Amino acid sequence: MPQNEHIELHRKRHGYRLDHHERKRKKESREVHERSHKARKMIGLKAKLYHKQRHAEKIQMKKTIKMHEQRKSKQKDDDKTPEGAVPAYLLDREGQSRAKVLSNMIKQKRKEKAGKWEVPLPKVRAQGETEVLKVIRTGKRQKKAWKRMVTKVCFVGDGFTRKPPKYERFIRPMGLRFKKAHVTHPELKATFCLPILGVKKNPSSSLYTTLGVITKGTVIEVNVSELGLVTQGGKVIWGKYAQVMNNPENDGCINAVLLV
Amino acid sequence: MSVDVERVLIQLQDETGEVLGSPFDVPLDISPEKLQLVCNALLQKEEPVPYLFFVKDAEVVSSLGSCVQELGLETEQVLPVVYQPQAVFRVRAVARCTSSLEGHTEAVTSVAFSPTGKYLASGSGDTTVRFWDLSTETPHHTARGHTHWVLSIAWSPDGKKLASGCKNSQIFLWDPITRSQIGKTLMGHMKWITWLCWEPLHLNPECRYLASTSKDCSIRIWDTVLGRCDKILTGHTQSVTCVKWGGDGLLYTSSQDRTVKVWRAKDGVQCRTLQGHAHWVNTLALSTDYVLRTGAFEPATATINPQDLTGSLEEIKEKALKRYNSVRGEGHERLVSGSDDFTMFLWNPAEEKKPVARLTGHQALVNEVLFSPDTRLIASASFDKSIKIWDGKTGKYLTSLRSHVGPVYQVAWSADSRLLVSGSSDSTLKVWDIKKGKLNADLPGHADEIFAVDWSPDGQRVASGGKDKCLRIWRK
């Protein structure tokens, strides 16, 4: 392999040999014969490998030749009228084929089951246990360390009563319990203060979801009956999901964006 | 003990406001039947005609008294009571599928009864137009010739010719009796044919001219006797979706460029452009549609065995003209256009450019609009699974018919305007009673979407065809 352009330079400066093109042509045409000679005379492992490679090459060549042939002989295949006849009023409309609709429905159901939604904040920094839960030491000599206190904002629900203090493992301080969230409608750009119905999913851990810990990126369910939304069937919508956008423990309030 | 019933002075008026006789005294608890007797006596009709009575647009259902009470009107003054004659004959609702006609090898795209109800033709995606014998409900013959899907078919108003347009922009004319093609293939359009419409019978009893619209934005008027294109009307900038040939010599066309254009049929000059829609205009309906379709055939004179039209050309023309004038009434023809922008407009196209009313309420695109045969009501079928009924004169919303679970594709009125049948993509047909505003019968049976529905003008049968390739005939 030439490492530099000295060949090209020489050619530019001095031109080609007088018989260059003829020799090139003849060499190329001889190549075919030489190739076939080699293929016949080769033996051993080398031959096996070579024949395998050549077989693959030939298959490819045959395919391209066939393709070219088809293109040359254009057959009027329009005798067969296409399927899927529709009346004139449906012609310009792209009807979603029913199979696609069903598969879309199934995909959506699966997504809901898996708990994956399209949310404004898809990736949130996962909060480790040491950050969210603080160890509370108990016992006569303060040696037992099985109690934990939640250091982030949480939601407990209406009918919440504490377990007997001796047995409760997770403490949710009253100061960090919130009932309302400031929810913004993304299209209307209006913010409402709506009561929280529950915590749907906390992205860091399912434990936090059950505890009701609200951190940035948590999906919560809010009571939207104030907004007066109605479904197509005429029913009033009273609960919708929203995703928390701020760090509530730093700000002292929960700011969320409604998921429409 | 007879209770002293209040009496009130009423003045009978007809729809246009003309008074009938002088005001007279009636007890408040008079029922609509008694009012009918009075009306018939005053009008001196030979056969009693059923009437509907309205006090200030509210129908008198049980007794005059209840109506007056509801409206809170004074009984001191003379009460104007409007009477509307209804069709003398009653069409019975269809209830059962009498036959399922197989034969097409692809989806059925359009179905049409001939104006007298004698023949049934269906066009399909397998490029054939099939004629069916109605008395035995079996195939009559297959008309082959098209090279692509048959998109629209139209019977000439005298029932002697059928025109069919296909996706390869060709139009064929068929004779149902001799089973052959009439004349040459009409070629000329560049893209597929979207709608076909014949010239009305009372303008030309030979049924010579045919208007066709296509996706190539033009409308062609064909001379079927000579087999050539007479006029080409251009002006639309996008696909023309529908054409209606009005009884006054005007042509109305709707297009995807959001306009409806009015043309003079004689010289092909564009008269008016009706603008207002915000999206494609899908469909048009004329108030005199039904009478133009049936021509000289009077549905009231229908017999069990449908007959061909008899009489010389002159007689037929006279009959058709008489019927047309009686249905049209005093004013001009009204036009309703339904569009993809979920609304419809009611126009008075012969007079003004501005719409009479905008009919809103649908939550998805409006696929078909139809005036009732007595022009009093408008039915609109939409992709939001409902059918809405509107007043034919003012465009006021009357009621919604909900029961379908898929987009409603087509509707058809019965000849007496009392029943409506609708076919939808959920593969069921539903028959609605307009007076009650409720479902009369649910007709399941099709295996797949229903693309075309038609009610025969003699009121006996309903035919429907769809994606499942078979045509079903329904009777009472």
Side-chain angles (χ1 to χ4, degrees):
Chain A
M1 296 284 137
Q3 302 280 358
N4 211 336
E5 301 102 25
H6 58 270
I7 297 180
E8 280 147 42
L9 261 183
H10 182 277
R11 281 193 184 150
K12 275 191 201 159
R13 286 180 186 150
H14 308 287
Y16 288 96
R17 270 175 76 143
L18 294 166
D19 52 0
H20 167 85
H21 297 288
E22 173 133 6
R23 279 173 42 147
K24 188 173 179 190
R25 182 182 61 87
K26 289 184 81 118
K27 187 167 187 186
E28 273 165 16
S29 52
R30 250 179 278 133
E31 208 182 312
V32 181
H33 295 286
E34 276 169 25
R35 209 177 193 184
S36 113
H37 177 86
K38 274 191 197 161
R40 274 181 287 127
K41 296 294 178 197
M42 242 195 262
I43 51 173
L45 180 64
K46 203 181 198 179
K48 264 194 184 166
L49 293 171
Y50 176 77
H51 285 310
K52 188 171 178 190
Q53 189 195 39
R54 185 69 183 153
H55 185 57
E57 263 175 45
K58 277 199 164 169
I59 292 171
Q60 281 305 105
M61 277 194 325
K62 281 185 183 163
K63 273 192 191 163
T64 30
I65 290 172
K66 205 168 181 192
M67 261 170 38
H68 284 305
E69 263 176 24
Q70 254 190 0
R71 200 183 44 157
K72 275 184 205 156
S73 65
K74 245 189 190 164
Q75 273 142 13
K76 253 258 165 175
D77 212 20
D78 299 308
D79 282 351
K80 220 173 55 147
T81 50
E83 283 191 17
V86 275
Y89 52 82
L90 288 179
L91 265 178
D92 280 326
R93 302 184 193 283
E94 296 144 4
Q96 222 188 5
S97 71
R98 229 168 284 151
K100 211 173 176 196
V101 171
L102 279 177
S103 90
N104 279 351
M105 264 169 48
I106 294 176
K107 278 186 195 162
Q108 236 191 3
K109 274 207 185 125
R110 276 196 208 133
K111 262 196 202 164
E112 272 176 32
K113 261 197 196 164
K116 285 191 198 146
W117 296 274
E118 272 172 36
V119 283
L121 281 185
K123 280 210 179 108
V124 196
R125 189 179 70 89
Q127 323 241 338
E129 255 202 32
T130 43
E131 206 182 320
V132 177
L133 303 168
K134 182 177 148 186
V135 179
I136 304 282
R137 292 189 165 269
T138 50
K140 193 176 184 184
R141 294 177 185 84
Q142 298 286 304
K143 272 187 16 179
K144 296 191 186 179
W146 55 273
K147 274 184 182 268
R148 299 279 182 277
M149 185 172 81
V150 175
T151 59
K152 306 275 177 189
V153 159
C154 53
F155 172 76
V156 285
D158 264 349
F160 174 73
T161 36
R162 288 170 60 188
K163 278 185 26 191
K166 187 169 174 188
Y167 299 107
E168 73 179 337
R169 198 189 310 180
F170 293 101
I171 302 175
R172 282 163 275 190
M174 275 170 63
L176 287 175
R177 293 184 203 161
F178 279 77
K179 285 190 194 163
K180 288 202 169 195
H182 301 297
V183 182
T184 311
H185 195 289
E187 275 144 43
L188 302 174
K189 312 270 188 230
T191 313
F192 310 92
C193 191
L194 304 172
I196 304 176
L197 292 170
V199 173
K200 180 72 183 177
K201 185 149 176 62
N202 190 310
S204 308
S205 153
S206 60
L207 170 67
Y208 302 155
T209 312
T210 48
L211 281 179
V213 173
I214 299 181
T215 53
K216 182 168 181 178
T218 314
V219 175
I220 56 174
E221 195 173 358
V222 285
N223 184 342
V224 292
S225 50
E226 256 185 34
L227 302 181
L229 304 167
V230 183
T231 60
Q232 263 199 343
K235 301 208 183 106
V236 180
I237 303 176
W238 63 282
K240 257 187 172 301
Y241 294 133
Q243 194 185 26
V244 177
M245 300 301 267
N246 70 331
N247 288 315
E249 65 275 3
N250 297 341
D251 301 330
C253 61
I254 305 177
N255 296 339
V257 159
L258 201 63
L259 301 176
V260 283
Chain B
M1 280 258 295
S2 67
V3 185
D4 221 5
V5 184
E6 269 188 45
R7 299 188 75 90
V8 68
L9 277 175
I10 63 168
Q11 169 72 64
L12 284 173
Q13 289 178 351
D14 82 352
E15 298 167 293
T16 56
E18 267 181 47
V19 294
L20 176 70
S22 54
F24 53 90
D25 215 22
V26 288
L28 253 190
D29 62 352
I30 191 170
S31 66
E33 286 86 33
K34 300 222 183 82
L35 275 175
Q36 260 183 36
L37 287 173
V38 171
C39 217
N40 274 315
L42 277 175
L43 284 168
Q44 287 163 344
K45 294 235 179 211
E46 293 160 354
E47 300 164 14
V49 179
Y51 288 100
L52 284 180
F53 296 94
F54 294 85
V55 180
K56 295 221 176 179
D57 289 341
E59 200 184 325
V60 178
V61 178
S62 53
S63 78
L64 192 57
S66 55
C67 204
V68 166
Q69 249 185 355
E70 268 177 31
L71 294 173
L73 294 172
E74 279 186 4
T75 51
E76 303 280 319
Q77 296 174 334
V78 178
L79 218 61
V81 174
V82 178
Y83 66 89
Q84 276 182 6
Q86 288 204 295
V88 180
F89 59 101
R90 277 198 99 88
V91 171
R92 276 164 137 156
V94 293
R96 61 197 175 100
C97 176
T98 51
S99 58
S100 157
L101 303 166
E102 315 243 342
H104 279 297
T105 50
E106 275 284 324
V108 177
T109 53
S110 49
V111 160
F113 278 99
S114 77
T116 53
K118 183 156 186 201
Y119 307 106
L120 174 63
S122 63
S124 129
D126 65 357
T127 76
T128 61
V129 173
R130 284 171 201 252
F131 290 86
W132 310 87
D133 182 8
L134 284 175
S135 36
T136 55
E137 298 193 349
T138 51
H140 192 244
H141 74 277
T142 308
R144 289 178 205 279
H146 279 293
T147 47
H148 213 308
W149 308 339
V150 176
L151 288 179
S152 64
I153 57 179
W155 282 96
S156 66
D158 62 358
K160 298 211 173 82
K161 297 181 246 195
L162 175 78
S164 59
C166 82
K167 195 157 188 285
N168 268 342
S169 52
Q170 294 169 335
I171 302 174
F172 282 71
L173 292 162
W174 309 98
D175 186 336
I177 307 173
T178 63
R179 309 169 184 226
S180 62
Q181 184 184 348
I182 305 173
K184 294 189 290 182
T185 311
L186 304 175
M187 297 202 274
H189 275 295
M190 301 288 151
K191 293 205 196 148
W192 68 73
I193 311 278
T194 51
W195 200 266
L196 292 168
C197 186
W198 288 86
E199 189 181 13
L201 195 61
H202 64 264
L203 290 177
N204 185 343
E206 293 174 356
C207 297
R208 191 167 168 174
Y209 290 102
L210 167 71
S212 69
T213 64
S214 151
K215 189 161 158 63
D216 66 1
C217 320
S218 71
I219 303 113
R220 282 175 189 249
I221 300 186
W222 306 88
D223 185 337
T224 55
V225 165
L226 295 174
R228 63 187 180 97
C229 181
D230 207 37
K231 290 185 199 64
I232 307 179
L233 312 175
T234 50
H236 279 295
T237 52
Q238 285 204 316
S239 160
V240 189
T241 50
C242 188
V243 65
K244 291 279 154 129
W245 203 315
D248 295 336
L250 290 173
L251 245 119
Y252 309 97
T253 57
S254 71
S255 152
Q256 281 177 4
D257 65 0
R258 310 186 320 264
T259 60
V260 174
K261 288 191 197 264
V262 184
W263 316 76
R264 256 209 304 272
K266 250 185 251 141
D267 42 9
V269 165
Q270 185 185 333
C271 302
R272 243 175 236 109
T273 304
L274 308 173
Q275 292 176 325
H277 276 296
H279 208 311
W280 300 351
V281 188
N282 288 328
T283 175
L284 285 177
L286 270 180
S287 55
T288 49
D289 249 347
Y290 201 79
V291 77
L292 291 175
R293 172 200 172 172
T294 46
F297 172 66
E298 174 59 56
T301 61
T303 55
I304 297 283
N305 259 339
Q307 303 296 329
D308 268 329
L309 286 174
T310 51
S312 71
L313 286 178
E314 285 304 314
E315 287 175 22
I316 295 181
K317 183 173 173 173
E318 281 277 329
K319 271 196 246 176
L321 188 60
K322 210 170 70 170
R323 283 195 70 224
Y324 172 70
N325 281 330
S326 70
V327 171
R328 202 188 90 175
E330 299 297 315
H332 292 272
E333 291 174 329
R334 297 182 300 278
L335 180 72
V336 174
S337 58
S339 152
D340 258 24
D341 66 358
F342 310 175
T343 64
M344 294 164 283
F345 275 107
L346 178 63
W347 313 89
N348 196 345
E351 289 180 354
E352 356 164 284
K353 266 186 173 187
K354 292 249 174 351
V356 172
R358 187 168 201 180
L359 285 54
T360 58
H362 275 297
Q363 289 164 323
L365 63 98
V366 179
N367 201 41
E368 201 184 12
V369 207
L370 262 191
F371 265 94
S372 68
D374 60 1
T375 76
R376 241 168 248 138
L377 301 166
I378 302 172
S380 62
S382 147
F383 275 27
D384 69 354
K385 312 172 197 166
S386 74
I387 303 157
K388 289 196 194 271
I389 310 284
W390 316 80
D391 179 65
K393 288 212 175 51
T394 55
K396 207 174 74 150
Y397 166 75
L398 292 176
T399 175
S400 258
L401 306 172
R402 281 180 210 281
S403 184
H404 278 295
V405 292
V408 186
Y409 284 152
Q410 293 224 319
V411 283
W413 284 93
S414 70
D416 65 347
S417 318
R418 288 194 189 101
L419 298 165
L420 182 72
V421 68
S422 62
S424 129
S425 80
D426 65 359
S427 76
T428 58
L429 279 163
K430 293 194 200 277
V431 182
W432 309 87
D433 187 332
I434 297 301
K435 185 129 185 263
K436 296 187 200 134
K438 282 205 229 150
L439 186 63
N440 187 310
D442 189 7
L443 308 171
H446 271 286
D448 211 336
E449 304 189 8
I450 297 177
F451 286 147
V453 177
D454 197 15
W455 205 313
S456 77
D458 60 2
Q460 286 181 37
R461 298 178 181 84
V462 172
S464 62
K467 211 165 170 189
D468 61 348
K469 309 174 193 155
C470 82
L471 198 71
R472 277 173 189 261
I473 302 207
W474 312 80
R475 301 184 69 173
K476 58 165 163 63

